[in-house]
């Protein structure tokens, strides 16, 4: 259902900061962690009009690291739990909201290394 993953310029800048602080060089790794961090929340992400206007773009397969079905199942399960339509446009928007909320959460952590980041994610 999701073909490409694009992020906003604000999220791109947050990811650049995270890359510098942690040494993690791949957008897709940070984005996967961000998505899962957002899914962990008990509430759905608040609606906002996220404009994916940055130069950061990756295929769904790159985002998922080859685990497309797993990540789609996680998204669909969470969408059903929160009564979100499974229509393509709505599901894509819901994914984008989760991704951007998660990037904000990661950026707000005080992690200066991969170990710190992983410890904060495991809380």
């Amino acid at each position: 259902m999701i073909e490409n993953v694009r992020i906003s310029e604000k999220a791109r800048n947050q990811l650049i900061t995270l890359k510098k602080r942690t040494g993690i060089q791949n957008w897709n790794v940070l984005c996967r962690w961000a998505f899962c961090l957002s899914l962990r929340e008990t509430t759905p992400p608040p609606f906002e009009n996220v404009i994916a206007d940055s130069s950061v773009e990756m295929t769904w397969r790159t985002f998922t690291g080859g685990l497309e079905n797993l990540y789609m199942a996680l998204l669909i399960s969470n969408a059903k739990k929160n009564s979100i339509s499974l229509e393509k446009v709505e599901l894509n928007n819901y994914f984008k909201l989760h991704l951007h909320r998660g990037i904000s959460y990661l950026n707000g952590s005080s992690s200066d290394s991969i170990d710190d980041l992983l410890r904060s994610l495991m809380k």
Side-chain angles (χ1 to χ4, degrees):
M1 281 190 197
I2 299 172
E3 295 171 17
N4 291 305
V5 176
R6 291 199 67 186
I7 63 170
S8 69
E9 189 64 28
K10 177 183 174 185
R12 177 186 168 275
N13 291 334
Q14 291 172 325
L15 288 172
I16 288 170
T17 299
L18 282 165
K19 286 171 76 170
K20 287 177 186 174
R21 286 184 6 215
T22 64
I24 298 169
Q25 292 303 307
N26 298 317
W27 304 109
N28 58 328
V29 172
L30 290 169
C31 287
R32 274 196 300 270
W33 290 359
F35 175 65
C36 290
L37 184 59
S38 180
L39 285 177
R40 183 171 76 174
E41 290 293 314
T42 58
T43 59
F47 177 78
E48 62 177 297
N49 186 18
V50 177
I51 300 171
D53 57 352
S54 78
S55 60
V56 177
E57 181 176 2
M58 65 194 89
T59 65
W60 176 248
R61 182 170 174 76
T62 298
F63 168 78
T64 65
L67 299 171
E68 300 90 347
N69 293 337
L70 172 66
Y71 284 95
M72 185 55 68
L74 290 170
L75 178 62
I76 289 172
S77 174
N78 189 273
K80 285 181 178 179
K81 182 179 86 174
N82 289 300
S83 302
I84 303 298
S85 168
L86 299 182
E87 295 295 321
K88 185 176 181 176
V89 171
E90 287 83 2
L91 200 57
N92 279 316
N93 286 334
Y94 191 62
F95 167 75
K96 195 177 347 178
L97 292 173
H98 268 296
L99 178 59
H100 283 79
R101 175 170 74 175
I103 291 170
S104 291
Y105 284 174
L106 283 178
N107 193 59
S109 72
S110 58
S111 305
D112 288 326
S113 69
I114 294 173
D115 289 338
D116 287 347
L117 183 58
L118 288 174
R119 271 194 287 283
S120 74
L121 294 174
M122 301 307 282
K123 290 181 182 178

